[in-house]
Amino acid sequence: MKFTIIRSKFLEGLKSVQNIVANKGSLQILQNVLIEAKDKKLFMTTTDLDISVRSVVPCDVTESGSTTIPVRILFSTISKVTEGPVVVEIDAQDRATISAGSATFKIAGMSVHDFPPVPSGEGKLSYTLPQTTFREMLRKTSYAASQDDTRKTLKGVLMSFKGGKLTMVATDGRRLALVEQEVEFPAEAEQDIVLPSKAVAELTRSLASEGDVKITVQKSQVVFNLGITQVSSKLLDEVYPNYRQVIP
């Protein structure tokens, strides 16, 4: 595997995926970023098993392939080099050789076979709305979600797709926030899901000031396609009854 990428583009992609990387003490593979070079693009993915983030940036691919590299070490390394082309070559033992100008670095990686599977973003039920609108809806509701670990059904935001609109609700049992937005979708796509607060925080960081977000629901997972970034998350298993009581 070998590719050449502009330093600023590499850093841009790494910044967008490193926030959810697990701290030391967890599985080593969860501290790595999955890197895939193909079709003139570099795909970078991280996960903590509950949330996954994928970013796509352009690059010149000499030899396609994939590997995983400790993301914080990789980010620190790329931050130190001067702006310009960065050449990354991965050998059969998943060792990365990074060349930028007169500097050369070597980082030990791990096989992609150890990396957890990531949702594809495909599904029968999907919804589309502007990213700015979705971010504002999250801002107006997420503050009311519970912070109590003993009340897991309240540690998130309800997203209810009913009657041609998206209703979002959050409550901690004492206060409640609700906001609505018209969204086009077929009647068979009506459903309720609860997005965990952890995923809400990551989306708030990732949503852009332009473009649309495509939301795809896959059984116990939901995928948010933001263009160059994709955020996927497990859903809370239960819907708190008080959510439904306030939805018109």
Side-chain angles (χ1 to χ4, degrees), residues 67-112:
T67 190
T68 78
I69 301 174
V71 67
R72 301 199 191 285
I73 295 176
L74 180 58
F75 182 82
S76 175
T77 300
I78 302 304
S79 297
K80 294 174 183 176
V81 304
T82 57
E83 183 62 21
V86 177
V87 180
V88 180
E89 189 167 4
I90 311 296
D91 65 19
Q93 286 72 46
D94 291 289
R95 291 188 296 254
T97 300
I98 301 172
S99 304
S102 59
T104 300
F105 306 87
K106 292 185 181 294
I107 304 176
M110 294 177 64
S111 170
V112 296

Side-chain angles (χ1 to χ4, degrees), residues 27-34 36 45-52 54 68 110-119 221 232 234:
L27 291 173
Q28 185 176 352
I29 194 65
L30 298 184
Q31 299 171 32
N32 286 17
V33 55
L34 169 64
E36 303 169 277
T45 307
T46 56
T47 184
D48 66 359
L49 298 182
D50 291 324
I51 302 173
S52 302
R54 171 174 290 173
T68 78
M110 294 177 64
S111 170
V112 296
H113 300 298
D114 299 319
F115 199 84
V118 177
Q221 295 265 0
S232 57
K234 289 182 179 179

Side-chain angles (χ1 to χ4, degrees), residues 11-30:
L11 283 177
E12 178 185 337
L14 290 171
K15 281 181 181 178
S16 65
V17 301
Q18 70 171 351
N19 287 316
I20 65 163
V21 173
N23 295 322
K24 291 182 178 180
S26 62
L27 291 173
Q28 185 176 352
I29 194 65
L30 298 184

Side-chain angles (χ1 to χ4, degrees), residues 173-220:
R174 297 181 299 275
R175 60 182 179 178
L176 182 145
L178 180 151
V179 65
E180 295 180 334
Q181 174 66 36
E182 291 187 357
V183 178
E184 292 186 5
F185 54 86
E188 59 268 23
E190 291 192 346
Q191 63 176 324
D192 295 341
I193 62 174
V194 183
L195 187 65
S197 293
K198 194 174 181 180
V200 172
E202 184 57 38
L203 282 166
T204 301
R205 282 192 292 263
S206 301
L207 287 161
S209 57
E210 58 182 21
D212 291 337
V213 52
K214 179 182 178 183
I215 305 170
T216 305
V217 181
Q218 311 170 340
K219 295 183 180 179
S220 61

Side-chain angles (χ1 to χ4, degrees), residues 93-246:
Q93 286 72 46
D94 291 289
R95 291 188 296 254
T97 300
I98 301 172
S99 304
S102 59
T104 300
F105 306 87
K106 292 185 181 294
I107 304 176
M110 294 177 64
S111 170
V112 296
H113 300 298
D114 299 319
F115 199 84
V118 177
S120 64
E122 300 297 325
K124 294 181 179 180
L125 303 180
S126 63
Y127 319 85
T128 302
L129 66 158
Q131 291 192 43
T132 52
T133 299
F134 188 56
R135 182 171 56 189
E136 187 67 6
M137 294 179 76
L138 290 175
R139 186 188 69 81
K140 289 181 177 180
T141 53
S142 58
Y143 73 89
S146 176
Q147 302 300 313
D148 188 348
D149 288 334
T150 65
R151 309 187 73 181
K152 292 186 177 180
T153 56
L154 297 182
K155 291 194 68 176
V157 175
L158 170 71
M159 298 174 59
S160 179
F161 295 92
K162 297 284 178 64
K165 61 185 178 183
L166 166 61
T167 303
M168 295 177 65
V169 184
T171 181
D172 60 7
R174 297 181 299 275
R175 60 182 179 178
L176 182 145
L178 180 151
V179 65
E180 295 180 334
Q181 174 66 36
E182 291 187 357
V183 178
E184 292 186 5
F185 54 86
E188 59 268 23
E190 291 192 346
Q191 63 176 324
D192 295 341
I193 62 174
V194 183
L195 187 65
S197 293
K198 194 174 181 180
V200 172
E202 184 57 38
L203 282 166
T204 301
R205 282 192 292 263
S206 301
L207 287 161
S209 57
E210 58 182 21
D212 291 337
V213 52
K214 179 182 178 183
I215 305 170
T216 305
V217 181
Q218 311 170 340
K219 295 183 180 179
S220 61
Q221 295 265 0
V222 60
V223 179
F224 301 88
N225 191 323
L226 315 178
I228 63 172
T229 304
Q230 174 182 293
V231 178
S232 57
S233 172
K234 289 182 179 179
L235 297 171
L236 292 181
D237 295 332
E238 303 176 50
V239 177
Y240 187 62
N242 282 8
Y243 284 142
R244 291 196 176 98
Q245 293 174 12
V246 299

